[in-house]
């Protein structure tokens, strides 16, 4: 058997941490579909089970941190993972477990997709502030790039969630916590014009045109975060990975459908 030929036939492996969304509109399994469309193979570690449809989330059952750790390490010890994407986490213990995994596999690029926290009534003993602080203090220093919506960061800043730094902007706060790069969507570039804005630890700044989706979509930045992870898995550096990935979300966001009574969903299947 030709070992080199076998290795060449293996697609890039992406490990995704996130909740199971039964509507298929975000997280797992949506990210698995996006990865497949990009020529990658998705591995997964479940962080929670959602009771959810296209209109609302009714219940969230977080997975125990020990199970998250066991599942992730089982995969990482069996296969050569090329990049990691982290979605929603719901307990400080799970954040701590993932931060330790990231430290043990620091050579693997890590993408953190920050999204709004759910209503605290949906999860027993859930404290959004504690989880957020754990993310900032434990996971951001392990993160190669954070993907986050500009308006979400602005809300967090207005609520005092980014205290503890002397940063002038929310992005600078994330960089001070230790993230190597931060990509914001919908960042104001000039009056009436938004951008994807990429900023780095050494004050590097790059921007690309951004247009608001024509209709409200669930997980609008999910395909972008997944696409960046896929490009990092192929060995690109962060700036090139973002540049290459940005050609994907525009086409995906333009293809949406409404299967239920709630939000429109991104059509992630290949045309």
């Amino acid at each position: 058997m030709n070992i080199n030929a076998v290795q060449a036939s293996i697609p890039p492996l992406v490990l995704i941490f996130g909740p199971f969304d039964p509507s298929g509109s975000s997280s797992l399994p949506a990210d698995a579909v996006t990865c497949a469309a990009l020529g990658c193979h998705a591995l997964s570690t479940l962080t929670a089970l959602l009771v959810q449809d296209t209109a609302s989330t009714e219940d969230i059952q977080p997975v125990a941190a020990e199970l998250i750790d066991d599942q992730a390490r089982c995969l990482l010890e069996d296969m050569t993972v090329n990049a990691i994407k982290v979605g929603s986490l719901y307990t400080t213990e799970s954040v701590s477990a993932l931060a330790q995994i990231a430290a043990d596999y620091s050579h693997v690029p890590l993408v953190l997709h920050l999204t709004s926290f759910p209503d605290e009534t949906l999860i027993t003993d859930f404290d959004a502030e504690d989880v957020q602080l754990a993310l900032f203090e434990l996971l951001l220093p392990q993160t190669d790039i954070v993907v986050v919506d500009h308006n979400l960061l602005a809300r967090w800043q207005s609520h005092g969630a980014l205290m503890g730094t002397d940063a002038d902007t929310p992005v600078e706060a994330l960089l001070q916590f230790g993230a190597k790069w931060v990509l914001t969507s919908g960042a104001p570039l000039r009056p009436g014009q938004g951008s994807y804005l990429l900023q780095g630890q050494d004050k590097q700044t790059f921007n690309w045109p951004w247009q608001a989706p024509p209709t409200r979509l669930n997980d609008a930045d999910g395909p972008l975060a997944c696409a960046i992870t896929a490009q990092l898995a192929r060995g690109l550096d962060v700036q090139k990975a973002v540049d290459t990935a940005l050609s994907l979300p525009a086409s995906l966001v333009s293809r949406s459908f409404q299967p239920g009574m709630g939000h429109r969903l991104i059509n992630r299947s290949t045309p």
Side-chain angles (χ1 to χ4, degrees):
M1 179 181 295
N2 188 326
I3 299 298
N4 290 333
V6 171
Q7 291 176 338
S9 69
I10 299 175
L13 303 182
V14 173
L15 175 56
I16 300 168
F17 289 82
F20 181 78
D21 174 357
S23 74
S25 62
S26 66
S27 302
L28 304 174
D31 282 347
V33 175
T34 303
C35 280
L38 295 171
C40 294
H41 179 75
L43 314 173
S44 58
T45 295
L46 199 66
T47 62
L49 291 169
L50 307 183
V51 178
Q52 178 174 304
D53 58 20
T54 61
S56 64
T57 302
E58 297 181 4
D59 190 32
I60 299 175
Q61 294 291 329
V63 172
E66 294 81 5
L67 287 177
I68 293 173
D69 185 75
D70 288 346
Q71 181 58 70
R73 291 185 184 277
C74 183
L75 294 169
L76 286 160
E77 292 167 9
D78 177 52
M79 293 172 274
T80 300
V81 171
N82 302 108
I84 294 172
K85 175 182 179 288
V86 178
S88 297
L89 299 169
Y90 301 96
T91 68
T92 56
E93 292 81 8
S94 62
V95 175
S96 178
L98 207 150
Q100 186 57 59
I101 291 169
D104 292 342
Y105 291 87
S106 58
H107 62 285
V108 181
L110 189 149
V111 176
L112 175 61
H113 182 198
L114 289 176
T115 58
S116 57
F117 289 102
D119 189 320
E120 293 189 359
T121 63
L122 295 174
I123 310 174
T124 303
D125 298 327
F126 176 65
D127 189 316
E129 290 185 5
D130 286 349
V131 174
Q132 188 174 56
L133 184 61
L135 280 169
F136 290 170
E137 293 188 345
L138 301 179
L139 197 55
L140 280 185
Q142 317 286 342
T143 300
D144 289 272
I145 178 171
V146 175
V147 179
V148 62
D149 177 75
H150 168 79
N151 291 327
L152 176 61
L153 274 187
R155 288 200 302 272
W156 283 352
Q157 184 182 41
S158 67
H159 295 157
L162 296 171
M163 301 292 289
T165 72
D166 58 359
D168 294 327
T169 69
V171 169
E172 288 179 7
L174 297 183
L175 293 170
Q176 285 191 17
F177 274 112
K180 297 180 180 69
W181 293 87
V182 177
L183 178 69
T184 49
S185 61
L189 185 61
R190 56 182 62 92
Q193 185 176 357
S195 69
Y196 290 103
L197 184 62
L198 178 65
Q199 295 171 265
Q201 281 280 348
D202 296 326
K203 301 188 182 303
Q204 311 99 309
T205 302
F206 307 92
N207 64 75
W208 297 261
W210 173 90
Q211 289 186 338
T215 185
R216 185 176 181 184
L217 295 172
N218 195 20
D219 196 33
D221 285 337
L224 172 58
C226 209
I228 292 170
T229 311
Q231 300 311 318
L232 291 173
R234 295 183 183 280
L236 300 185
D237 62 30
V238 169
Q239 182 190 348
K240 184 63 176 176
V242 172
D243 189 46
T244 304
L246 276 168
S247 64
L248 174 73
S251 62
L252 281 177
V253 169
S254 67
R255 299 168 53 236
S256 64
F257 64 105
Q258 189 164 10
M261 296 180 289
H263 300 302
R264 294 185 67 84
L265 309 186
I266 298 170
N267 186 352
R268 298 171 187 249
S269 61
T270 53

